[in-house]
Amino acid sequence: MRLMTRLMMGAALLSTGACASMSEMTAAADPVSAAVVQAVAPGAPGETPTWSNAAKTGVGASYEAYVDGQYRDGGPTGAVSRVWFSIADGVLTETMYGLIHEAQIKQMRFAVMTDTGLSVEGTDTTSRTEYLHTDADGRPLSPAYRIVTTDTAGRYEIEKRIYIDPDRQALVVRATIRALSGPVTPYLLLEPHMANTGVADQGMATVNALTALEGDVALALRPDQPFEAASVGFVGTSDGLTDLADGRLDSRYTSTGDQGGNIMLTGSLPQVARGQSLSRDFVIGFGADPMQAEAAADGALAAGLDAVLANYNGEDDAVGWEDYIASLSELPRMAEQSTDGGKLAYASALMLKVQEDRTYAGALIASLSNPWGDTVDATQASTGYKAVWPRDFYQVAMALMALGDTETPVAAFRYLPQVQVDAQTPGNSGATGWFLQKTHVDGQIEWVGVQLDQTAMPIMLGWKLWKAGEISDAEMATMYAAMIKPAADFLVDGGVIALDWNDRTVTPPWSQQERWEEQEGYSPSTTAAVITGLTVAAEIARASGDGASADRYQAAADDYASKVETRMFTTEGTLGDGDYFVRLSRNENPNDHGLLSENNGQPALPEDRIIDGGFLELVRYGVRAADAPSIVATLPEYDDQSREDRLRVRYDFGPEGDTTPGWRRYGNDGYGENAETSGNYGVGGMTPGQRGRVWPFFTGERGHYELAALLADGTPDAAAIDRIRQTYVRGMERFANDGLLLPEQAWDGVGKTPDGYATGQGTNSATPLAWTHAEYLKLLRSIADRAVWDRYAPVADRYGR
């Protein structure tokens, strides 16, 4: 069946007369004469599509209860919703249906015609984000949002309430438009990006529904009252926003015909008089075809949108987000360690659970965003950060475990074999046991670099769950044979990689890439994870009856631990007094001033000129004591704020005496906006002006180190603990935006900062970053316990004394 025929069938169900033509159907409910309504929009395929701003202030999805550790219909929460949404600049942005990376919408916003010209939400408005459902202390209980956008000229205000129907594949947007200084006429603008691209979409517009389709996925936006008029067109040529340039929607089209492209759907609303308001409800349904999508939207409208919200929240007898929050046994105790009354702690718990796929239980992604998406080409499908990295995955699973979530971390551990390389991995003819660099949640391979910390961390997570009693001895023995032993063997032996482009030989603890995915060599953070992974693997092996392997793993860990300083601590460096851990040594001699590789537009510099915070992971896991000479010697170089900006890592924000400490990934980092133009990363290629900014989770990493140092001196007094709270916990809280979302990066004040942004505010790279939320939660748990959450006792007992 042709795609256009499928669209016509869906639209026919919405017409008042089955025999009416498309032009007649639209004209019947349209005050403009039929002469200006045309059947097919011209201008295919439209402008080159992009994604949306990645600086989200809200993301949401329905809470779904597991059924026997999996997502299946029929459990306590009924049918499984597989819809996610995001919010940026006060408008609905990327909305996913199906798998968590499968975007179907770029954005939905309003254009408003005023008596002094056209104004567009996001471009010509300011915005604020609030949670709809909170407890008595203002702590969010569900990811349902109230978004208010205000015209910068003061002519109108739009309030939107956004949430998911937990029982259907549908998204709810309840809008109220208020005319403040004169009459306004609003127009709803919906930009689909079906099937995770902005090309090949087809659409149809009637006053009763805006419909889009590509392949086997469709959406239908249903208003609670018919639009005044409706149109569909190709972006930049025949779309509604382009048509409104003259102040009128006077060239309208009912369909895109059989041509696909980058489309926009438009629905006009009645004029609103000065001092008056107009409220309208919109439900966007999704399905395999337009009829399924319309049925989902209609079902939500028929159920009543107040009842849908109550079910989403988990109010009364419904099982929803309130129930998940209540299940987190450690959350109240952790929230007591915050300085904001627990608001960010509750929001962080929601953020981590939202960013789990609802088909593959335990598949935890890095961020529900596409980095710098507003300048990223959407002609090809991409996951952005909506994918699995075992390193980010570990951080999130450990944070959920810290909260007292006893189900999601177990599901995550059981998910991990899907992303481990074995003999059956498509295209693999080389070494096995290592974990893939980046994959889709269904295991589809995306990137194939070897990062040894990503192979160690699944072992570490399993050991933590086993010791907590969440994984039985029997299951651990099974997982040891199937997953942990192959991973540990690779951490000892390495091997020749033969997958896709990768044909390198990896000899641990030398890693093809460290945690920033850019350089090869010996890395303090990677080595810390490898030593930890092998040490706990030895304990698992022994418990599983494999004493020979246990001895081999421990011997390798001992060897790696004995050479940490020899391989990665320079005594002839060019910074400070010359004694410190380098970010990475390309070989086993950190004193040879060897060059690191060029990357992200930055020049190759000697390894001894580049410092990062990876050495603190040695303390976190227990490989080195907090007062180890090599650790203490590196801190002044890491914290030196007198260094030139290219090499400087630490930046403190705020007035003297009340500063927030922040750190970049490393000196010479180019993964960020252009310091000369403030333009997005990658625009125009890799350029020397690019600059990686401050990453807020380093504030948490440093807080963990300071706690470890206090604990090493004995039982710390309350005042000392409070200093950590006021400096590092509050510091992380200050990085959150008004939606209580934490970013990947924050502006550091170097070079040009875009208008409307302040130093210390999140950049447009990616928000929310799951790792940042996870680090904040783990810091709260560590302070509450007076013990570092990520510390591994067998490691600390053996190496960290």
Side-chain angles (χ1 to χ4, degrees), residues 102-264:
E102 294 177 330
Q104 313 299 342
I105 294 172
K106 173 185 176 178
Q107 62 185 349
M108 190 190 88
R109 53 190 169 153
F110 288 94
V112 180
M113 184 57 63
T114 74
D115 52 7
T116 55
L118 184 68
S119 173
V120 180
E121 259 196 313
T123 303
D124 303 313
T125 56
T126 60
S127 64
R128 69 179 188 270
T129 302
E130 302 169 354
Y131 286 87
L132 276 178
H133 189 48
T134 63
D135 66 11
D137 296 315
R139 299 178 298 200
L141 297 177
S142 84
Y145 297 92
R146 177 177 180 263
I147 311 297
V148 179
T149 53
T150 303
D151 174 43
T152 54
R155 294 167 293 184
Y156 65 87
E157 178 182 87
I158 301 175
E159 176 184 324
K160 296 183 293 294
R161 297 179 178 229
I162 304 176
Y163 50 92
I164 297 291
D165 183 341
D167 299 313
R168 298 167 190 84
Q169 310 305 327
L171 168 72
V172 176
V173 180
R174 312 189 76 176
T176 298
I177 299 96
R178 301 182 181 94
L180 302 179
S181 64
V184 300
T185 303
Y187 297 83
L188 181 148
L189 307 175
L190 175 63
E191 296 175 64
H193 271 19
M194 306 300 296
N196 204 31
T197 72
V199 295
D201 293 356
Q202 295 178 282
M204 173 167 282
T206 75
V207 295
N208 292 310
L210 305 177
T211 308
L213 172 74
E214 182 182 338
D216 60 357
V217 64
L219 68 76
L221 182 149
R222 295 296 307 271
D224 65 336
Q225 299 182 44
F227 292 115
E228 299 293 293
S231 183
V232 60
F234 295 96
V235 172
T237 56
S238 55
D239 66 277
L241 184 58
T242 298
D243 191 25
L244 285 169
D246 65 357
R248 299 178 63 236
L249 189 66
D250 48 15
S251 297
R252 287 175 290 128
Y253 309 96
T254 58
S255 83
T256 55
D258 284 328
Q259 298 233 40
N262 182 13
I263 70 172
M264 180 186 295

Side-chain angles (χ1 to χ4, degrees), residues 63 348 493 611 789:
Y63 168 68
S348 295
D493 301 325
I611 287 180
W789 179 246

Side-chain angles (χ1 to χ4, degrees), residues 30-91:
D30 198 318
V32 183
S33 69
V36 298
V37 179
Q38 301 177 52
V40 178
E47 293 179 349
T48 300
T50 62
W51 295 106
S52 294
N53 183 2
K56 311 303 184 187
T57 61
V59 300
S62 174
Y63 168 68
E64 301 294 339
Y66 293 135
V67 178
D68 297 327
Q70 299 295 323
Y71 283 122
R72 292 200 296 266
D73 294 344
T77 47
V80 176
S81 166
R82 294 183 172 90
V83 179
W84 295 260
F85 67 88
S86 64
I87 299 161
D89 299 320
V91 305

Side-chain angles (χ1 to χ4, degrees), residues 12 97 136 140 166 207 334 337 384 459 469 477 493-494 538 602 604 619 629 665 758:
Y97 160 69
V207 295
M334 291 165 61
Q337 312 307 316
I459 305 173
D493 301 325
Q602 306 311 299
V619 178
R665 295 193 303 174

